Amino acid sequence: MKTLCIALVVQLLAGYSIARYLEGLNVNLGEALQFLREYDQEGSTVCNKLMTAQWNFATNITDHNRRKMLEEQTMKLKFDRASWRKTVSFAWSRVPDPLARRQLKLIAIKGRNSLTDDKFNEMHHLIMEMKELYNRARLCPYRKIGVPCDLSFDEDIARLMSQSRDYDELLHYWQAWHEAVGPPLRNKYIRYVQLANQAAKLNGFADAGDQMREIYEDDYFQQNIAEVISAITPLYKHLFTYVRSRLIERYGDRIRSDGPLPAHVLGNMWAQNWEGIFNLVQPFPAVKRFDVTLDMMIQGYTSLRMFQMAEEFFTSMGMKPMHPEFWRYSMFEKPIDRDVKCSASAWDFCNRMDFRIKQCTKITTEDLVSTHHEMTHIQYYLQYKDQPFIFRSEALPGFHEAVSNAISLSVFNPQHLHRIGLYNNSTDDYESNMNFLMLMALQKVAYLPFAYIVDQWRWRVFSDGVVDMTTRWWELRLQYQGILPPVPRTERDFDPASKYHVPADLPYSNYFVSVVLQFQLFESLCDTSGHTGDLHNCDLYRSREAGRLLSDILSLGSSMSWPNIIRQMTRGRTNRIDAGAMLRYFKPLTEFLRRHNQMEPVIGWVTNQEDTDLPYSFTALFAHWYLGGTASITSLTVILPIILLLTLYRIF
């Protein structure tokens, strides 16, 4: 706090407006370099202790391991706080060494360390409370009396939302989940917004959203991603229209032929991934689904063999093998003697040699892809391990996932699995291709609008305030996803909290970035490998040329601004996030969808105020405006022109 006051006083005395970034007076380059050397050494040590404690808890869930993990998390917070205070004592933006200046900036712009100790602690505990409340939520089974209400989201509800085709059962779980987490979190979230904005303003930003976007180091980032979502929207609307026609076949007049879709019937709690309804919408049901699980079982696959295959995928491209520590310490199967967290994850222990994967591997196609996905993260760690500690991270938020998903695009395709002896049907027939691309579109294309709106909503809350948070959420979901709530909502419901990343203070734009960049990277690697033909048939296996390009990109870590890395990745074609590669990947499916949708009344959706007989109609979204209260008049005046346009203009 003392540092902050000095910096502000100096700026005022100098006659300047308050700077974009918080800085101090120290211009001594030698001291700055010495601090960074100490930060590199101590940061690596603190990180190693925290990762070890988190690993021990994740692979052996006990109270002792939980306490140890919380202790190390506290130590990491103290280290980050002290490092930030030291960093902002330097006039770091004027440090002549560009790499040192970049390292200092990355430390200075992160976190809420500008808050006083009491508010910093309040912020930390508030986020912990919201995460705990979310994770503890349990639901009652549908139409079962006298049984425990102990259904958890990850193990039970997500599966039910994906597998059930009972409209009313899906509605029960959708309503129950939103009720369990939304209202209890609303007031806590309002306080969180206040504290996050205070921290951002003390750090030189307009609000917390402004601070969150700073990590992208691009004043035009919002414009860039808006252009991407605009480019993808025609494909999304065709996919939406096709899926709606199939849902009408299943649910009849509960789905309107030209309208938005109710949020609960798309196989996912947030309608963000539609893979769960693939069996309802696959173009050619008579064609066998692309799956090699049975082949793996017949050939006697084990979890170890799957990981060895993943390693061989990378060494075939001339990339690095796994370290001995990887094979010694990783957890490939679920232990029988203790409770563990089974979600697959890759771990960097911050000491340049210990990298591990934790996965309760099953002999399935899904886990074969997951094994390659997680090992790609390890490959990224191996490539940038010699960078300074602060640069041992992804080029921009979302790039780690983009790289792993790009490799998954190569692994999860018939050509690759045929090459490694797992897929006997090597015929490149039209029906199989359309089914495959539909499955991928339900995962990728359907997800992109949701990945876009979460932070759009959050940034608007930070900049415009906490009034009408639920209304704004559904405005965005209607505009970009064509999704409406299946029952009336009010501000009390606070539906954004139904998504973990909102109360957990986790950014979401990185997921949007990862979806788009994975196709850009995949296309560049495929071009480098000499692939010709449809992009979705590309296999990078054994391409040394692609391996060299990928190694060069990954070895940079975050030492260079990401536009320069994208330019290198695309061999000079662009330095921006671009939807072109994704559209080219799905071009055959786009042509199929256009032909199929020729007779549809609307491509996309229109909202009709008169459709009050439907449970998810116009009235469901705007219930709070006619249930009483005047607080939403401002939002009403903003959205009514949009509704009018949607009603009058049929989007083709």
Side-chain angles (χ1 to χ4, degrees):
M1 196 64 190
K2 181 179 179 182
T3 302
L4 172 64
C5 293
I6 292 173
L8 293 177
V9 168
V10 169
Q11 288 164 352
L12 290 172
L13 288 175
Y16 298 119
S17 59
I18 295 178
R20 167 66 166 166
Y21 304 115
L22 184 61
E23 298 186 66
L25 302 173
N26 192 341
V27 294
N28 189 309
L29 176 60
E31 288 186 22
L33 293 174
Q34 177 62 27
F35 162 69
L36 288 173
R37 283 192 291 270
E38 294 170 355
Y39 177 88
D40 188 80
Q41 183 177 8
E42 188 176 353
S44 298
T45 300
V46 170
C47 178
N48 177 261
K49 290 180 178 179
L50 175 59
M51 297 305 293
T52 301
Q54 290 179 333
W55 174 270
N56 290 340
F57 177 70
T59 58
N60 186 13
I61 300 175
T62 66
D63 289 340
H64 170 77
N65 285 344
R66 177 183 172 81
R67 285 194 299 271
K68 182 63 177 174
M69 178 182 68
L70 292 175
E71 289 173 7
E72 294 300 337
Q73 287 175 347
T74 300
M75 296 303 295
K76 176 67 162 53
L77 283 173
K78 290 180 178 178
F79 169 75
D80 289 343
R81 197 154 165 77
S83 299
W84 178 85
R85 285 172 171 161
K86 181 67 175 178
T87 299
V88 297
S89 71
F90 292 103
W92 55 265
S93 71
R94 299 195 295 277
V95 168
D97 185 318
L99 285 179
R101 185 168 64 247
R102 180 167 178 78
Q103 290 182 69
L104 291 167
K105 178 183 179 180
L106 291 177
I107 301 170
I109 65 174
K110 290 182 179 179
R112 280 67 182 256
N113 296 295
S114 55
L115 290 171
T116 59
D117 288 344
D118 57 338
K119 288 187 176 180
F120 180 85
N121 291 331
E122 181 187 358
M123 182 72 161
H124 174 65
H125 290 299
L126 188 60
I127 294 169
M128 291 289 291
E129 288 174 9
M130 290 194 291
K131 290 162 65 174
E132 285 290 326
L133 193 153
Y134 188 101
N135 289 326
R136 287 199 309 266
R138 296 293 182 270
L139 303 187
C140 300
Y142 177 60
R143 288 187 175 175
K144 291 183 180 179
I145 301 174
V147 297
C149 293
D150 59 356
L151 297 181
S152 67
F153 187 88
D154 290 337
E155 294 185 7
D156 304 301
I157 306 305
R159 174 180 51 82
L160 288 164
M161 292 297 293
S162 175
Q163 296 178 1
S164 175
R165 299 294 178 257
D166 184 323
Y167 188 98
D168 295 322
E169 181 183 22
L170 291 169
L171 178 59
H172 163 79
Y173 289 118
W174 190 94
Q175 262 189 289
W177 179 252
H178 283 73
E179 179 66 23
V181 296
L185 286 171
R186 185 174 183 273
N187 288 337
K188 294 180 185 295
Y189 195 81
I190 289 173
R191 177 57 177 162
Y192 153 84
V193 170
Q194 294 172 343
L195 291 171
N197 273 342
Q198 286 181 28
K201 290 173 182 176
L202 287 170
N203 221 18
F205 298 99
D207 54 56
D210 186 29
Q211 183 177 13
M212 289 175 70
R213 292 187 296 274
E214 179 64 24
I215 194 65
Y216 289 98
E217 303 178 275
D218 181 5
D219 291 338
Y220 300 99
F221 175 71
Q222 283 185 281
Q223 177 184 334
N224 191 180
I225 61 175
E227 290 170 355
V228 169
I229 199 67
S230 178
I232 292 293
T233 294
L235 170 57
Y236 175 79
K237 285 187 175 179
H238 271 285
L239 178 66
F240 176 98
T241 303
Y242 171 84
V243 167
R244 179 177 58 202
S245 70
R246 292 302 179 92
L247 290 176
I248 289 172
E249 294 176 7
R250 177 65 181 83
Y251 296 112
D253 60 6
R254 284 177 157 175
I255 309 295
R256 205 180 80 219
S257 62
D258 63 352
L261 290 171
H264 66 303
V265 296
L266 288 157
N268 176 270
M269 181 63 73
W270 311 281
Q272 71 175 51
N273 181 318
W274 302 352
E275 183 182 0
I277 60 168
F278 176 73
N279 64 338
L280 291 180
V281 305
Q282 60 179 317
F284 300 98
V287 177
K288 183 182 177 182
R289 180 169 179 170
F290 177 52
D291 190 282
V292 295
T293 298
L294 183 59
D295 303 81
M296 294 169 67
M297 291 180 174
I298 292 173
Q299 295 184 33
Y301 268 63
T302 64
S303 59
L304 178 60
R305 182 178 175 185
M306 290 162 68
F307 281 92
Q308 290 170 336
M309 285 181 65
E311 180 187 44
E312 198 269 332
F313 181 93
F314 289 105
T315 56
S316 81
M317 297 171 68
M319 300 181 75
K320 297 183 178 183
M322 297 297 103
H323 286 182
E325 288 82 2
F326 174 84
W327 300 108
R328 181 178 180 183
Y329 296 120
S330 290
M331 187 189 88
F332 297 152
E333 297 178 350
K334 184 177 182 178
I336 60 174
D337 60 342
R338 62 186 187 274
D339 191 17
V340 301
K341 290 187 176 182
C342 270
S343 54
S345 53
W347 298 63
D348 177 357
F349 283 77
C350 313
N351 59 8
R352 295 191 167 97
M353 61 182 182
D354 192 352
F355 309 99
R356 311 177 194 175
I357 287 176
K358 172 184 66 65
Q359 180 174 284
C360 300
T361 312
K362 298 182 177 66
I363 310 304
T364 64
T365 305
E366 181 181 2
D367 277 15
L368 179 65
V369 176
S370 174
T371 299
H372 286 76
H373 178 100
E374 299 303 333
M375 193 169 283
T376 310
H377 288 303
I378 302 293
Q379 190 66 221
Y380 206 162
Y381 300 151
L382 288 169
Q383 294 293 339
Y384 64 50
K385 69 181 179 64
D386 294 324
Q387 291 282 355
F389 173 66
I390 193 69
F391 290 155
R392 278 180 255 155
S393 61
E394 56 193 345
L396 77 162
F399 200 59
H400 244 297
E401 280 298 302
V403 175
S404 290
N405 285 329
I407 296 302
S408 297
L409 291 175
S410 177
V411 172
F412 186 63
N413 78 53
Q415 280 66 30
H416 175 71
L417 294 178
H418 178 69
R419 288 177 73 182
I420 61 174
L422 273 179
Y423 189 61
N424 295 326
N425 181 15
S426 61
T427 57
D428 186 24
D429 63 276
Y430 178 78
E431 289 82 3
S432 296
N433 268 314
M434 288 308 104
N435 278 358
F436 172 75
L437 284 172
M438 178 61 69
L439 177 63
M440 298 302 289
L442 295 175
Q443 296 174 359
K444 311 287 186 179
V445 179
Y447 178 54
L448 207 58
F450 182 82
Y452 179 73
I453 68 168
V454 174
D455 275 348
Q456 294 297 315
W457 171 85
R458 181 170 11 209
W459 296 341
R460 284 176 61 184
V461 170
F462 285 138
S463 63
D464 298 347
V466 296
V467 176
D468 293 342
M469 292 190 293
T470 302
T471 301
R472 293 174 184 176
W473 176 252
W474 288 110
E475 287 172 359
L476 288 166
R477 299 201 65 184
L478 172 62
Q479 179 181 354
Y480 291 101
Q481 282 188 286
I483 300 297
L484 284 178
V487 291
R489 315 308 290 158
T490 68
E491 285 304 313
R492 169 195 171 274
D493 294 308
F494 191 43
D495 291 334
S498 69
K499 184 64 180 174
Y500 177 76
H501 297 71
V502 172
D505 185 42
L506 296 173
Y508 211 77
S509 292
N510 52 322
Y511 295 101
F512 181 90
V513 168
S514 74
V515 171
V516 182
L517 276 182
Q518 68 185 264
F519 291 97
Q520 286 185 259
L521 175 59
F522 185 56
E523 184 178 55
S524 290
L525 294 174
C526 290
D527 289 346
T528 303
S529 72
H531 172 76
T532 58
D534 290 334
L535 184 56
H536 71 274
N537 287 325
C538 170
D539 180 15
L540 301 171
Y541 185 52
R542 296 177 180 167
S543 172
R544 296 276 172 155
E545 296 80 6
R548 279 194 292 271
L549 175 60
L550 187 57
S551 296
D552 289 345
I553 296 165
L554 302 188
S555 64
L556 295 169
S558 60
S559 63
M560 185 186 296
S561 66
W562 66 266
N564 289 328
I565 292 178
I566 300 301
R567 186 180 297 280
Q568 181 172 337
M569 179 186 86
T570 60
R571 295 181 298 175
R573 287 196 299 270
T574 184
N575 66 346
R576 292 166 60 82
I577 304 168
D578 182 80
M582 187 174 182
L583 293 174
R584 286 186 285 275
Y585 183 95
F586 287 107
K587 184 179 179 181
L589 180 68
T590 303
E591 294 170 353
F592 166 82
L593 292 172
R594 288 185 184 279
R595 288 194 298 270
H596 183 278
N597 291 336
Q598 283 179 346
M599 302 303 294
E600 291 296 320
V602 169
I603 304 302
W605 55 91
V606 293
T607 304
N608 191 337
Q609 186 174 359
E610 296 177 358
D611 291 328
T612 55
D613 57 321
L614 292 177
Y616 64 95
S617 67
F618 175 92
T619 56
L621 177 57
F622 306 113
H624 59 294
W625 286 329
Y626 55 81
L627 288 176
T630 58
S632 301
I633 295 300
T634 301
S635 294
L636 179 58
T637 60
V638 171
I639 196 66
L640 272 180
I642 298 174
I643 297 300
L644 182 59
L645 285 173
L646 287 171
T647 304
L648 297 177
Y649 182 57
R650 297 161 75 83
I651 304 168
F652 290 92

